[in-house]
């Protein structure tokens, strides 16, 4: 294999690996932010445990709710006594009427603004006006804003890498083909068949099409297999990368025109 | 093999080379000699299919040169060198050969020994003298057995002993039906047909 093609393959592997890394980084960061949302519980207090039960039944079907637990007032009292060593105050606590507690944890991926609005609507509906709700909406909003910004950066990064990929790969291909013009001129004048250059261009295109993509993809799967990373990326990315390589080859062929 | 009819080369309405009707059969050595700027090179380039701004017709085996555009059946050896200077003699000779037979390999070795290149087969061509470099080009042309081997200003790089060696090398292609068409400033010996440009017209002597 000629040095030029080898060099192009190396550059394409670096570009494709960078592209894969962008997706890995995005998925990792997204996972962290969604985990932050999942770990943020909504606490609902009510003295009426039956009301909480009926609310739990209503919320149970919602896809963005991961888990609902209800703790009755007696259990809360027990927890307070054992947690804070209040054995002497047992009688005093039993004389108070403590509220029951509902703990809702969410699916960070699915719990977005429309879902939050839907939940708010349910909780403020006429049947549940007596509930006391404790939820850190500011922290939820902060995480959602970060997710939005991350998504914007991700799409911008993809577009940037795609443009850079096309520019670099097309430029390199044209550069090395023009650099070999002298060789082909001598080849032609020596009596060589004109088709040989076209055949060589096609062969080089096949090398550039499959080798960098297979190696960059193989690198990702090897890292997954040996557990260096544990982040699944969207496999459609490999299709997009393949399409980008094909486009770059076609663009190079068009720009080279009669040189080939 | 080569038929040229009513051929005229002109520049700014002035005609400077005329060929009325010439027919060369295969396996011949043809020498056209004339002074500089008489159109010898343009005639060769026209036969080769590189130059098309001429009047009249050129037919190689009854087909115009453009018919052979994709797969050339003529090889033109010009004044300047068309070699890969940093490659070996062998690499340069075998450059256009896609599938080489053992017979061809043996023939290349034989032809190289005629040109006294057999011990320099692995040497880079930039280390060779000019006439040896032209021998490399000639062997490369001969081994492909084209219809026509065209050599421009042959006496520039092959004279005396070297001319005899060059013709001996060409013999391999001539025996297979190829023709050699060489131009020169002076008349060269050992050619079957000699032509000259006389009053802008090509005449066979």
């Amino acid at each position: 294999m000629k040095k030029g093609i080898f060099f192009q393959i190396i550059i394409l592997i670096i570009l494709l690996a960078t592209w894969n890394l962008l997706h890995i980084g995005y998925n990792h960061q997204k996972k962290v932010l969604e985990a932050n949302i999942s770990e943020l519980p909504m606490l609902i207090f009510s003295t009426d445990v039956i009301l909480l039960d009926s609310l739990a039944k209503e919320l149970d079907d919602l896809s963005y709710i991961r888990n609902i637990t209800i703790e009755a007032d007696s259990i809360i009292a027990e927890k307070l006594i054992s947690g804070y060593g209040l054995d002497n105050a047992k009688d005093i606590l039993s004389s108070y009427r403590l509220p029951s507690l509902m703990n809702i944890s969410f699916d960070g991926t699915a719990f977005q603004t429309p879902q939050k609005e839907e939940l708010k609507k349910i909780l403020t509906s006429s049947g549940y006006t007596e509930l006391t709700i404790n939820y850190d909406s500011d922290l939820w909003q902060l995480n959602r804003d970060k997710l939005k910004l991350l998504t914007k950066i991700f799409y911008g990064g993809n577009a940037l890498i795609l443009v850079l990929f096309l520019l670099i790969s097309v430029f390199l291909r044209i550069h090395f083909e023009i650099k070999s013009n002298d060789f082909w001129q001598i080849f032609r004048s020596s009596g060589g068949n004109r088709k040989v250059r076209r055949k060589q261009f096609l062969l080089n295109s096949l090398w550039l099409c499959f080798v960098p993509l297979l190696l960059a993809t193989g690198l990702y799967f090897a890292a997954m297999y040996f557990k260096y990373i544990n982040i699944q990326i969207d496999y459609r990315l490999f299709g997009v990368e393949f399409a980008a390589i094909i486009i770059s080859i076609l663009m190079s062929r068009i720009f080279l025109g009669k040189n080939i | 093999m080569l038929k040229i009819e009513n051929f005229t080369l002109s520049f700014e309405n002035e005609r400077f080379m005329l060929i009325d009707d010439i027919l060369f059969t295969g396996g011949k050595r043809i020498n056209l000699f004339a002074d500089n700027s008489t159109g010898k090179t343009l005639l060769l380039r026209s036969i080769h299919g590189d130059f098309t701004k001429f009047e009249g017709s050129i037919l190689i085996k009854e087909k115009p040169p453009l018919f052979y555009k994709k797969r050339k059946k003529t090889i033109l050896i010009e004044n300047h060198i068309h070699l890969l200077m940093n490659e070996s003699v062998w690499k340069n000779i075998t450059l256009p050969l896609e599938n080489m037979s053992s017979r061809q390999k043996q023939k290349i070795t034989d032809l190289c020994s005629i040109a006294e290149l057999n011990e320099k087969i692995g040497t880079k061509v930039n280390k060779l003298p000019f006439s040896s470099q032209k021998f490399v080009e000639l062997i490369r042309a001969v081994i492909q057995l084209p219809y026509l081997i065209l050599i421009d200003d042959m006496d520039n790089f092959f004279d005396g002993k070297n001319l005899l060696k060059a013709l001996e090398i060409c013999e391999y292609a001539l025996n297979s039906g190829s023709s050699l068409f060489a131009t020169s400033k002076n008349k060269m010996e050992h050619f079957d047909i000699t032509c000259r440009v006389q009053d802008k017209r090509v005449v066979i002597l």
Side-chain angles (χ1 to χ4, degrees):
Chain A
M1 204 192 315
K2 283 181 183 171
K3 280 179 199 167
I5 289 297
F6 185 71
F7 180 74
Q8 286 179 73
I9 286 174
I10 298 289
I11 297 294
L12 290 192
I13 290 171
I14 293 169
L15 286 171
L16 293 176
T18 310
W19 205 343
N20 291 349
L21 273 177
L22 174 77
H23 280 249
I24 291 167
Y26 166 72
N27 282 1
H28 172 71
Q29 200 53 39
K30 193 173 167 232
K31 228 173 170 180
V32 169
L33 291 171
E34 284 173 352
N36 286 348
I37 292 171
S38 298
E39 285 164 11
L40 197 64
M42 180 178 274
L43 302 174
I44 300 173
F45 300 94
S46 175
T47 48
D48 186 354
V49 75
I50 297 161
L51 186 69
L52 289 179
D53 280 335
S54 73
L55 177 63
K57 274 178 194 159
E58 197 172 336
L59 299 181
D60 210 30
D61 295 337
L62 299 175
S63 60
Y64 50 87
I65 289 177
R66 188 181 281 171
N67 193 29
I68 299 173
T69 53
I70 297 173
E71 290 178 20
D73 54 348
S74 56
I75 297 165
I76 293 171
E78 266 175 38
K79 275 188 182 173
L80 283 171
I81 291 162
S82 62
Y84 295 99
L86 301 172
D87 288 334
N88 297 333
K90 209 173 184 176
D91 296 335
I92 301 166
L93 272 172
S94 61
S95 65
Y96 283 99
R97 197 175 168 213
L98 290 169
S100 296
L101 169 68
M102 178 190 259
N103 187 332
I104 305 172
S105 63
F106 298 99
D107 177 351
T109 314
F111 191 50
Q112 297 178 12
T113 309
Q115 286 73 21
K116 192 166 177 276
E117 287 302 315
E118 186 192 16
L119 184 64
K120 195 178 170 186
K121 216 174 173 182
I122 293 167
L123 295 177
T124 53
S125 63
S126 57
Y128 304 114
T129 47
E130 300 300 315
L131 301 175
T132 307
I133 301 163
N134 185 337
Y135 188 65
D136 195 343
S137 281
D138 290 343
L139 194 57
W140 174 85
Q141 191 60 50
L142 183 71
N143 281 305
R144 290 250 55 103
D145 289 346
K146 280 183 182 174
L147 266 170
K148 266 185 198 167
L149 181 67
L150 182 73
T151 308
K152 274 183 190 168
I153 292 170
F154 172 68
Y155 285 121
N158 269 297
L160 185 72
I161 286 187
L162 178 65
V163 170
L164 276 177
F165 181 87
L166 288 175
L167 276 177
I168 293 171
S169 57
V170 171
F171 170 78
L172 281 178
R173 194 74 202 273
I174 291 173
H175 168 76
F176 282 108
E177 285 298 334
I178 288 175
K179 209 177 162 193
S180 69
N181 268 353
D182 286 346
F183 168 84
W184 289 110
Q185 205 182 343
I186 291 167
F187 178 83
R188 282 286 291 147
S189 67
S190 72
N193 193 335
R194 195 192 186 100
K195 283 181 186 168
V196 174
R197 183 170 195 185
R198 286 184 189 162
K199 225 187 263 180
Q200 192 62 48
F201 182 85
L202 189 70
L203 192 68
N204 288 344
S205 298
L206 289 174
W207 278 103
L208 291 171
C209 205
F210 292 107
V211 176
L213 188 63
L214 287 175
L215 286 178
T217 311
L219 209 65
Y220 164 73
F221 281 109
M224 284 281 281
Y225 181 79
F226 293 109
K227 296 190 175 22
Y228 289 115
I229 53 167
N230 189 24
I231 298 156
Q232 186 122 17
I233 59 175
D234 192 343
Y235 292 157
R236 283 177 300 181
L237 170 68
F238 304 127
V240 174
E241 288 174 344
F242 183 69
I245 296 173
I246 297 285
I247 290 168
S248 81
I249 289 169
L250 291 175
M251 283 170 76
S252 317
R253 181 67 189 88
I254 290 165
F255 288 134
L256 283 164
K258 286 183 179 174
N259 273 294
I260 302 292
Chain B
M1 165 70 83
L2 175 65
K3 190 178 183 185
I4 304 173
E5 279 181 323
N6 304 320
F7 178 84
T8 311
L9 284 174
S10 348
F11 181 70
E12 292 180 349
N13 295 328
E14 193 189 334
R15 294 175 169 195
F16 60 91
M17 180 175 265
L18 300 147
I19 301 173
D20 294 329
D21 192 359
I22 286 179
L23 175 69
F24 298 121
T25 53
K28 298 285 182 202
R29 285 169 291 204
I30 306 144
N31 174 221
L32 169 68
F33 72 95
D35 294 332
N36 282 342
S37 309
T38 47
K40 299 189 302 275
T41 305
L42 278 183
L43 172 64
L44 291 188
R45 287 185 59 207
S46 305
I47 296 169
H48 191 53
D50 283 353
F51 184 78
T52 52
K53 289 177 184 170
F54 60 83
E55 288 170 37
S57 74
I58 296 173
L59 297 173
I60 302 161
K61 290 215 170 178
E62 294 173 2
K63 298 276 191 313
L66 284 177
F67 179 80
Y68 306 106
K69 199 180 169 189
K70 284 185 179 170
R71 184 77 169 111
K72 290 274 187 193
K73 292 290 180 187
T74 54
I75 294 174
L76 174 62
I77 298 176
E78 292 174 287
N79 252 318
H80 54 276
I81 302 287
H82 279 291
L83 293 172
L84 302 172
M85 300 309 271
N86 289 315
E87 298 289 352
S88 67
V89 169
W90 183 263
K91 167 82 184 176
N92 272 284
I93 292 172
T94 58
L95 182 66
L97 306 174
E98 286 175 58
N99 301 309
M100 215 182 343
S101 63
S102 54
R103 191 167 168 268
Q104 271 178 317
K105 284 180 189 170
Q106 183 55 48
K107 199 67 214 172
I108 292 168
T109 313
D110 296 345
L111 298 176
C112 281
S113 68
I114 296 171
E116 294 175 16
L117 282 170
N118 50 339
E119 285 178 10
K120 294 173 184 169
I121 211 107
T123 310
K124 286 183 180 178
V125 289
N126 59 8
K127 302 262 193 275
L128 300 177
F130 181 68
S131 62
S132 298
Q133 290 175 348
K134 290 316 262 188
F135 270 122
V136 173
E137 279 191 57
L138 183 66
I139 295 168
R140 187 174 65 187
V142 165
I143 200 71
Q144 295 175 74
L145 305 175
Y147 292 161
L148 268 170
I149 298 168
L150 308 164
I151 306 179
D152 194 18
D153 281 337
M154 193 175 182
D155 54 350
N156 257 5
F157 32 87
F158 298 130
D159 55 355
K161 275 186 183 175
N162 279 347
L163 178 63
L164 289 173
K165 283 183 203 167
L167 291 176
E168 195 183 339
I169 288 166
C170 289
E171 207 60 39
Y172 169 66
L174 294 172
N175 290 338
S176 303
S178 305
S179 287
L180 169 68
F181 194 125
T183 64
S184 59
K185 285 188 193 70
N186 302 303
K187 187 184 171 191
M188 293 196 291
E189 298 299 324
H190 314 290
F191 277 78
D192 304 316
I193 302 165
T194 306
C195 315
R196 69 170 297 172
V197 179
Q198 207 169 358
D199 295 330
K200 299 179 182 176
R201 198 173 292 275
V202 175
V203 290
I204 299 173
L205 300 180

mmCIF file of all heavy atoms in Angstrom, chain B residues 97-115:
data_model
loop_
_atom_site.group_PDB
_atom_site.id
_atom_site.type_symbol
_atom_site.label_atom_id
_atom_site.label_comp_id
_atom_site.label_asym_id
_atom_site.label_seq_id
_atom_site.Cartn_x
_atom_site.Cartn_y
_atom_site.Cartn_z
ATOM 1 N N LEU B 97 3.309 -2.879 -17.866
ATOM 2 C CA LEU B 97 2.906 -4.279 -18.052
ATOM 3 C C LEU B 97 2.092 -4.758 -16.858
ATOM 4 O O LEU B 97 2.584 -4.793 -15.735
ATOM 5 C CB LEU B 97 4.150 -5.171 -18.227
ATOM 6 C CG LEU B 97 5.134 -4.747 -19.322
ATOM 7 C CD1 LEU B 97 6.372 -5.618 -19.275
ATOM 8 C CD2 LEU B 97 4.494 -4.816 -20.694
ATOM 9 N N GLU B 98 0.849 -5.101 -17.111
ATOM 10 C CA GLU B 98 -0.025 -5.512 -16.001
ATOM 11 C C GLU B 98 0.268 -6.951 -15.568
ATOM 12 O O GLU B 98 0.495 -7.218 -14.404
ATOM 13 C CB GLU B 98 -1.485 -5.365 -16.408
ATOM 14 C CG GLU B 98 -1.926 -3.903 -16.435
ATOM 15 C CD GLU B 98 -3.337 -3.735 -16.943
ATOM 16 O OE1 GLU B 98 -4.249 -4.311 -16.358
ATOM 17 O OE2 GLU B 98 -3.508 -3.007 -17.948
ATOM 18 N N ASN B 99 0.240 -7.842 -16.531
ATOM 19 C CA ASN B 99 0.555 -9.252 -16.221
ATOM 20 C C ASN B 99 1.758 -9.651 -17.073
ATOM 21 O O ASN B 99 1.654 -9.719 -18.289
ATOM 22 C CB ASN B 99 -0.633 -10.158 -16.549
ATOM 23 C CG ASN B 99 -1.862 -9.749 -15.772
ATOM 24 O OD1 ASN B 99 -1.816 -9.597 -14.567
ATOM 25 N ND2 ASN B 99 -2.954 -9.524 -16.475
ATOM 26 N N MET B 100 2.854 -9.914 -16.405
ATOM 27 C CA MET B 100 4.083 -10.185 -17.141
ATOM 28 C C MET B 100 4.324 -11.694 -17.246
ATOM 29 O O MET B 100 4.285 -12.392 -16.235
ATOM 30 C CB MET B 100 5.255 -9.527 -16.402
ATOM 31 C CG MET B 100 6.286 -9.007 -17.358
ATOM 32 S SD MET B 100 7.685 -8.273 -16.538
ATOM 33 C CE MET B 100 7.183 -7.951 -14.913
ATOM 34 N N SER B 101 4.558 -12.156 -18.468
ATOM 35 C CA SER B 101 4.844 -13.583 -18.648
ATOM 36 C C SER B 101 6.345 -13.816 -18.443
ATOM 37 O O SER B 101 7.150 -12.876 -18.520
ATOM 38 C CB SER B 101 4.431 -14.018 -20.052
ATOM 39 O OG SER B 101 5.197 -13.330 -21.012
ATOM 40 N N SER B 102 6.698 -15.080 -18.206
ATOM 41 C CA SER B 102 8.123 -15.383 -18.002
ATOM 42 C C SER B 102 8.904 -15.135 -19.298
ATOM 43 O O SER B 102 10.081 -14.783 -19.274
ATOM 44 C CB SER B 102 8.283 -16.827 -17.531
ATOM 45 O OG SER B 102 7.636 -17.676 -18.443
ATOM 46 N N ARG B 103 8.192 -15.294 -20.436
ATOM 47 C CA ARG B 103 8.833 -15.037 -21.734
ATOM 48 C C ARG B 103 9.206 -13.553 -21.840
ATOM 49 O O ARG B 103 10.284 -13.205 -22.310
ATOM 50 C CB ARG B 103 7.869 -15.447 -22.855
ATOM 51 C CG ARG B 103 8.506 -15.472 -24.211
ATOM 52 C CD ARG B 103 7.616 -16.192 -25.233
ATOM 53 N NE ARG B 103 8.134 -15.947 -26.565
ATOM 54 C CZ ARG B 103 7.735 -14.944 -27.340
ATOM 55 N NH1 ARG B 103 6.813 -14.110 -26.906
ATOM 56 N NH2 ARG B 103 8.257 -14.776 -28.540
ATOM 57 N N GLN B 104 8.278 -12.726 -21.401
ATOM 58 C CA GLN B 104 8.553 -11.279 -21.435
ATOM 59 C C GLN B 104 9.729 -10.920 -20.526
ATOM 60 O O GLN B 104 10.574 -10.119 -20.890
ATOM 61 C CB GLN B 104 7.310 -10.496 -20.997
ATOM 62 C CG GLN B 104 6.368 -10.143 -22.143
ATOM 63 C CD GLN B 104 5.127 -9.413 -21.659
ATOM 64 O OE1 GLN B 104 4.536 -9.783 -20.653
ATOM 65 N NE2 GLN B 104 4.733 -8.384 -22.376
ATOM 66 N N LYS B 105 9.748 -11.558 -19.343
ATOM 67 C CA LYS B 105 10.844 -11.290 -18.396
ATOM 68 C C LYS B 105 12.177 -11.648 -19.038
ATOM 69 O O LYS B 105 13.154 -10.891 -18.941
ATOM 70 C CB LYS B 105 10.647 -12.106 -17.111
ATOM 71 C CG LYS B 105 9.591 -11.551 -16.191
ATOM 72 C CD LYS B 105 9.457 -12.418 -14.953
ATOM 73 C CE LYS B 105 8.250 -12.002 -14.133
ATOM 74 N NZ LYS B 105 7.944 -12.930 -13.061
ATOM 75 N N GLN B 106 12.205 -12.812 -19.692
ATOM 76 C CA GLN B 106 13.432 -13.259 -20.346
ATOM 77 C C GLN B 106 13.817 -12.291 -21.469
ATOM 78 O O GLN B 106 14.990 -11.927 -21.625
ATOM 79 C CB GLN B 106 13.222 -14.687 -20.898
ATOM 80 C CG GLN B 106 14.461 -15.300 -21.537
ATOM 81 C CD GLN B 106 15.669 -15.295 -20.593
ATOM 82 O OE1 GLN B 106 15.560 -15.697 -19.433
ATOM 83 N NE2 GLN B 106 16.809 -14.804 -21.085
ATOM 84 N N LYS B 107 12.799 -11.828 -22.201
ATOM 85 C CA LYS B 107 13.063 -10.934 -23.337
ATOM 86 C C LYS B 107 13.617 -9.591 -22.832
ATOM 87 O O LYS B 107 14.532 -9.024 -23.437
ATOM 88 C CB LYS B 107 11.749 -10.718 -24.123
ATOM 89 C CG LYS B 107 11.962 -10.217 -25.531
ATOM 90 C CD LYS B 107 12.633 -11.261 -26.397
ATOM 91 C CE LYS B 107 13.549 -10.600 -27.402
ATOM 92 N NZ LYS B 107 14.370 -11.579 -28.147
ATOM 93 N N ILE B 108 13.047 -9.112 -21.718
ATOM 94 C CA ILE B 108 13.540 -7.841 -21.152
ATOM 95 C C ILE B 108 15.027 -7.990 -20.797
ATOM 96 O O ILE B 108 15.846 -7.116 -21.102
ATOM 97 C CB ILE B 108 12.710 -7.423 -19.904
ATOM 98 C CG1 ILE B 108 11.287 -7.046 -20.316
ATOM 99 C CG2 ILE B 108 13.358 -6.241 -19.180
ATOM 100 C CD1 ILE B 108 10.314 -6.897 -19.160
ATOM 101 N N THR B 109 15.352 -9.117 -20.185
ATOM 102 C CA THR B 109 16.755 -9.369 -19.808
ATOM 103 C C THR B 109 17.640 -9.379 -21.056
ATOM 104 O O THR B 109 18.729 -8.775 -21.058
ATOM 105 C CB THR B 109 16.859 -10.717 -19.053
ATOM 106 O OG1 THR B 109 15.838 -10.756 -18.074
ATOM 107 C CG2 THR B 109 18.193 -10.878 -18.377
ATOM 108 N N ASP B 110 17.160 -10.044 -22.111
ATOM 109 C CA ASP B 110 17.939 -10.101 -23.361
ATOM 110 C C ASP B 110 18.143 -8.695 -23.944
ATOM 111 O O ASP B 110 19.249 -8.338 -24.362
ATOM 112 C CB ASP B 110 17.227 -10.983 -24.405
ATOM 113 C CG ASP B 110 17.147 -12.428 -23.948
ATOM 114 O OD1 ASP B 110 17.869 -12.785 -22.995
ATOM 115 O OD2 ASP B 110 16.343 -13.186 -24.526
ATOM 116 N N LEU B 111 17.049 -7.928 -23.973
ATOM 117 C CA LEU B 111 17.136 -6.583 -24.553
ATOM 118 C C LEU B 111 18.037 -5.677 -23.710
ATOM 119 O O LEU B 111 18.783 -4.854 -24.241
ATOM 120 C CB LEU B 111 15.737 -5.959 -24.694
ATOM 121 C CG LEU B 111 14.761 -6.686 -25.630
ATOM 122 C CD1 LEU B 111 13.389 -6.035 -25.603
ATOM 123 C CD2 LEU B 111 15.282 -6.713 -27.064
ATOM 124 N N CYS B 112 17.973 -5.881 -22.394
ATOM 125 C CA CYS B 112 18.831 -5.088 -21.501
ATOM 126 C C CYS B 112 20.312 -5.419 -21.753
ATOM 127 O O CYS B 112 21.168 -4.529 -21.676
ATOM 128 C CB CYS B 112 18.485 -5.354 -20.038
ATOM 129 S SG CYS B 112 17.021 -4.480 -19.510
ATOM 130 N N SER B 113 20.566 -6.689 -22.048
ATOM 131 C CA SER B 113 21.981 -7.043 -22.288
ATOM 132 C C SER B 113 22.475 -6.426 -23.597
ATOM 133 O O SER B 113 23.639 -6.067 -23.707
ATOM 134 C CB SER B 113 22.186 -8.552 -22.234
ATOM 135 O OG SER B 113 21.556 -9.144 -23.317
ATOM 136 N N ILE B 114 21.581 -6.266 -24.581
ATOM 137 C CA ILE B 114 21.990 -5.580 -25.830
ATOM 138 C C ILE B 114 22.362 -4.126 -25.508
ATOM 139 O O ILE B 114 23.342 -3.594 -26.015
ATOM 140 C CB ILE B 114 20.846 -5.614 -26.878
ATOM 141 C CG1 ILE B 114 20.545 -7.068 -27.293
ATOM 142 C CG2 ILE B 114 21.209 -4.776 -28.112
ATOM 143 C CD1 ILE B 114 19.292 -7.219 -28.158
ATOM 144 N N ALA B 115 21.555 -3.519 -24.614
ATOM 145 C CA ALA B 115 21.807 -2.114 -24.257
ATOM 146 C C ALA B 115 22.846 -1.976 -23.148
ATOM 147 O O ALA B 115 23.066 -0.856 -22.645
ATOM 148 C CB ALA B 115 20.498 -1.472 -23.811
#
